[in-house]
Amino acid sequence: MTRSALRTETGAMIKPGPMATVTPERAVDDEQLAAFAAGSGLNGPFLADQLSAWMTHDLMGVCLFGMLARRTPNPILAGLYNRLRTSATERMQTWEALIGELGGMPKYVSPTARMTGGMDEKIIASFLLNGSGDELTFETAGLNAAFATLSLDVLNAQSLTNCAEKAGDSQARQVMQAAATRLSGSAQEGLSEVEKALSASMLLQLSSGTAQKVMQGMDKAASKIKNALR
């Protein structure tokens, strides 16, 4: 089962910080991370922190897409979000495997990762504000959240490619390039699907007489979106 969070009580390893106290068995420092991506000539501790954050973003994407699939009344969008959740799970597993191949700890949650997770959690929590808008407002917000999440996934994959190019002729370069190719293709495919759905949804609402008519005919609207997505 895909985990929804990685915390100290579920095995996370973290760095102590100004307001973070860690028990010795869960503590990590830069000295322990110095051998990360050995032989690449890269800053191991910095790279370990970044990969932890990039994996965390996809972990939170799994949570976001799962929540959106559950709350939408539109079966077409539910299907889209479920596909995105599956892809995000696969990307998270790719990051996890890459970290292990580079000699790291997949359960290490860096300070950067904790900030990334905190920001992503705010996006998910915003959908609890049910009084802030009607159903169409929430549907549009969901697609916007998916678009933003996947856009960052694309950027993260490109950042990994950039790191690989700086790794010289090393084993680390090869495994990073291979992972970046998989991650980029997956994220780009998802982003294209969301962009298409967002455009179709926007055009559907613009061509309707009123938003209320669309809300009263969600089945008809779903059918139109389905046709637009073909």
PDB file of all heavy atoms in Angstrom, residues 87-88 90-91 150 181-191:
ATOM      1  N   SER A  87      -0.128   7.249 -11.683  1.00  0.00           N
ATOM      2  CA  SER A  87       1.135   7.754 -12.229  1.00  0.00           C
ATOM      3  C   SER A  87       2.000   8.397 -11.152  1.00  0.00           C
ATOM      4  O   SER A  87       3.224   8.224 -11.139  1.00  0.00           O
ATOM      5  CB  SER A  87       0.859   8.768 -13.349  1.00  0.00           C
ATOM      6  OG  SER A  87       0.200   8.156 -14.432  1.00  0.00           O
ATOM      7  N   ALA A  88       1.371   9.151 -10.244  1.00  0.00           N
ATOM      8  CA  ALA A  88       2.122   9.785  -9.160  1.00  0.00           C
ATOM      9  C   ALA A  88       2.732   8.727  -8.240  1.00  0.00           C
ATOM     10  O   ALA A  88       3.852   8.885  -7.741  1.00  0.00           O
ATOM     11  CB  ALA A  88       1.219  10.720  -8.365  1.00  0.00           C
ATOM     12  N   GLU A  90       3.684   5.751  -9.173  1.00  0.00           N
ATOM     13  CA  GLU A  90       4.820   5.183  -9.908  1.00  0.00           C
ATOM     14  C   GLU A  90       6.011   6.133  -9.884  1.00  0.00           C
ATOM     15  O   GLU A  90       7.164   5.689  -9.752  1.00  0.00           O
ATOM     16  CB  GLU A  90       4.397   4.877 -11.346  1.00  0.00           C
ATOM     17  CG  GLU A  90       3.385   3.740 -11.425  1.00  0.00           C
ATOM     18  CD  GLU A  90       2.767   3.587 -12.808  1.00  0.00           C
ATOM     19  OE1 GLU A  90       3.000   4.488 -13.667  1.00  0.00           O
ATOM     20  OE2 GLU A  90       2.060   2.595 -13.042  1.00  0.00           O
ATOM     21  N   ARG A  91       5.763   7.436  -9.992  1.00  0.00           N
ATOM     22  CA  ARG A  91       6.873   8.398  -9.924  1.00  0.00           C
ATOM     23  C   ARG A  91       7.498   8.391  -8.541  1.00  0.00           C
ATOM     24  O   ARG A  91       8.734   8.445  -8.404  1.00  0.00           O
ATOM     25  CB  ARG A  91       6.388   9.802 -10.285  1.00  0.00           C
ATOM     26  CG  ARG A  91       6.100   9.990 -11.776  1.00  0.00           C
ATOM     27  CD  ARG A  91       5.968  11.458 -12.130  1.00  0.00           C
ATOM     28  NE  ARG A  91       4.877  12.099 -11.429  1.00  0.00           N
ATOM     29  CZ  ARG A  91       3.607  12.074 -11.820  1.00  0.00           C
ATOM     30  NH1 ARG A  91       3.256  11.436 -12.922  1.00  0.00           N
ATOM     31  NH2 ARG A  91       2.669  12.707 -11.136  1.00  0.00           N
ATOM     32  N   LEU A 150       1.430  18.991 -11.372  1.00  0.00           N
ATOM     33  CA  LEU A 150       2.140  18.311 -12.455  1.00  0.00           C
ATOM     34  C   LEU A 150       3.173  19.217 -13.120  1.00  0.00           C
ATOM     35  O   LEU A 150       4.208  18.744 -13.594  1.00  0.00           O
ATOM     36  CB  LEU A 150       1.133  17.789 -13.475  1.00  0.00           C
ATOM     37  CG  LEU A 150       0.349  16.565 -12.987  1.00  0.00           C
ATOM     38  CD1 LEU A 150      -0.944  16.397 -13.776  1.00  0.00           C
ATOM     39  CD2 LEU A 150       1.201  15.311 -13.078  1.00  0.00           C
ATOM     40  N   THR A 181      14.241  10.377 -17.369  1.00  0.00           N
ATOM     41  CA  THR A 181      13.472  10.083 -18.579  1.00  0.00           C
ATOM     42  C   THR A 181      12.094   9.530 -18.228  1.00  0.00           C
ATOM     43  O   THR A 181      11.073   9.952 -18.792  1.00  0.00           O
ATOM     44  CB  THR A 181      14.229   9.083 -19.471  1.00  0.00           C
ATOM     45  OG1 THR A 181      15.475   9.664 -19.881  1.00  0.00           O
ATOM     46  CG2 THR A 181      13.414   8.727 -20.701  1.00  0.00           C
ATOM     47  N   ARG A 182      12.051   8.582 -17.287  1.00  0.00           N
ATOM     48  CA  ARG A 182      10.768   8.006 -16.874  1.00  0.00           C
ATOM     49  C   ARG A 182       9.891   9.053 -16.205  1.00  0.00           C
ATOM     50  O   ARG A 182       8.689   9.151 -16.482  1.00  0.00           O
ATOM     51  CB  ARG A 182      11.003   6.828 -15.926  1.00  0.00           C
ATOM     52  CG  ARG A 182      11.661   5.625 -16.566  1.00  0.00           C
ATOM     53  CD  ARG A 182      11.571   4.405 -15.676  1.00  0.00           C
ATOM     54  NE  ARG A 182      12.255   4.578 -14.409  1.00  0.00           N
ATOM     55  CZ  ARG A 182      13.543   4.334 -14.221  1.00  0.00           C
ATOM     56  NH1 ARG A 182      14.302   3.905 -15.224  1.00  0.00           N
ATOM     57  NH2 ARG A 182      14.105   4.500 -13.035  1.00  0.00           N
ATOM     58  N   LEU A 183      10.480   9.824 -15.316  1.00  0.00           N
ATOM     59  CA  LEU A 183       9.719  10.823 -14.565  1.00  0.00           C
ATOM     60  C   LEU A 183       9.169  11.913 -15.475  1.00  0.00           C
ATOM     61  O   LEU A 183       8.017  12.325 -15.345  1.00  0.00           O
ATOM     62  CB  LEU A 183      10.611  11.445 -13.488  1.00  0.00           C
ATOM     63  CG  LEU A 183      11.019  10.512 -12.341  1.00  0.00           C
ATOM     64  CD1 LEU A 183      12.235  11.073 -11.610  1.00  0.00           C
ATOM     65  CD2 LEU A 183       9.863  10.318 -11.373  1.00  0.00           C
ATOM     66  N   SER A 184       9.998  12.371 -16.401  1.00  0.00           N
ATOM     67  CA  SER A 184       9.572  13.444 -17.298  1.00  0.00           C
ATOM     68  C   SER A 184       8.435  12.991 -18.202  1.00  0.00           C
ATOM     69  O   SER A 184       7.438  13.701 -18.366  1.00  0.00           O
ATOM     70  CB  SER A 184      10.763  13.903 -18.143  1.00  0.00           C
ATOM     71  OG  SER A 184      10.373  14.920 -19.036  1.00  0.00           O
ATOM     72  N   GLY A 185       8.552  11.797 -18.778  1.00  0.00           N
ATOM     73  CA  GLY A 185       7.500  11.301 -19.656  1.00  0.00           C
ATOM     74  C   GLY A 185       6.178  11.150 -18.939  1.00  0.00           C
ATOM     75  O   GLY A 185       5.123  11.542 -19.457  1.00  0.00           O
ATOM     76  N   SER A 186       6.220  10.615 -17.718  1.00  0.00           N
ATOM     77  CA  SER A 186       5.008  10.424 -16.933  1.00  0.00           C
ATOM     78  C   SER A 186       4.360  11.759 -16.581  1.00  0.00           C
ATOM     79  O   SER A 186       3.147  11.942 -16.735  1.00  0.00           O
ATOM     80  CB  SER A 186       5.336   9.649 -15.653  1.00  0.00           C
ATOM     81  OG  SER A 186       4.236   9.613 -14.774  1.00  0.00           O
ATOM     82  N   ALA A 187       5.170  12.710 -16.098  1.00  0.00           N
ATOM     83  CA  ALA A 187       4.637  14.006 -15.685  1.00  0.00           C
ATOM     84  C   ALA A 187       4.099  14.790 -16.882  1.00  0.00           C
ATOM     85  O   ALA A 187       3.041  15.427 -16.800  1.00  0.00           O
ATOM     86  CB  ALA A 187       5.711  14.816 -14.963  1.00  0.00           C
ATOM     87  N   GLN A 188       4.807  14.749 -17.999  1.00  0.00           N
ATOM     88  CA  GLN A 188       4.359  15.466 -19.193  1.00  0.00           C
ATOM     89  C   GLN A 188       3.040  14.908 -19.706  1.00  0.00           C
ATOM     90  O   GLN A 188       2.142  15.663 -20.118  1.00  0.00           O
ATOM     91  CB  GLN A 188       5.418  15.365 -20.298  1.00  0.00           C
ATOM     92  CG  GLN A 188       6.671  16.186 -20.058  1.00  0.00           C
ATOM     93  CD  GLN A 188       6.485  17.656 -20.391  1.00  0.00           C
ATOM     94  OE1 GLN A 188       5.386  18.109 -20.710  1.00  0.00           O
ATOM     95  NE2 GLN A 188       7.557  18.415 -20.315  1.00  0.00           N
ATOM     96  N   GLU A 189       2.899  13.595 -19.677  1.00  0.00           N
ATOM     97  CA  GLU A 189       1.656  12.969 -20.133  1.00  0.00           C
ATOM     98  C   GLU A 189       0.480  13.399 -19.254  1.00  0.00           C
ATOM     99  O   GLU A 189      -0.597  13.740 -19.753  1.00  0.00           O
ATOM    100  CB  GLU A 189       1.800  11.449 -20.105  1.00  0.00           C
ATOM    101  CG  GLU A 189       0.577  10.702 -20.614  1.00  0.00           C
ATOM    102  CD  GLU A 189       0.756   9.201 -20.609  1.00  0.00           C
ATOM    103  OE1 GLU A 189       1.880   8.724 -20.368  1.00  0.00           O
ATOM    104  OE2 GLU A 189      -0.244   8.487 -20.842  1.00  0.00           O
ATOM    105  N   GLY A 190       0.690  13.379 -17.942  1.00  0.00           N
ATOM    106  CA  GLY A 190      -0.371  13.800 -17.031  1.00  0.00           C
ATOM    107  C   GLY A 190      -0.720  15.260 -17.194  1.00  0.00           C
ATOM    108  O   GLY A 190      -1.898  15.637 -17.190  1.00  0.00           O
ATOM    109  N   LEU A 191       0.301  16.100 -17.363  1.00  0.00           N
ATOM    110  CA  LEU A 191       0.069  17.533 -17.525  1.00  0.00           C
ATOM    111  C   LEU A 191      -0.736  17.805 -18.794  1.00  0.00           C
ATOM    112  O   LEU A 191      -1.642  18.650 -18.797  1.00  0.00           O
ATOM    113  CB  LEU A 191       1.409  18.268 -17.571  1.00  0.00           C
ATOM    114  CG  LEU A 191       1.346  19.794 -17.660  1.00  0.00           C
ATOM    115  CD1 LEU A 191       0.645  20.383 -16.447  1.00  0.00           C
ATOM    116  CD2 LEU A 191       2.753  20.380 -17.802  1.00  0.00           C
TER     117      LEU A 191
END
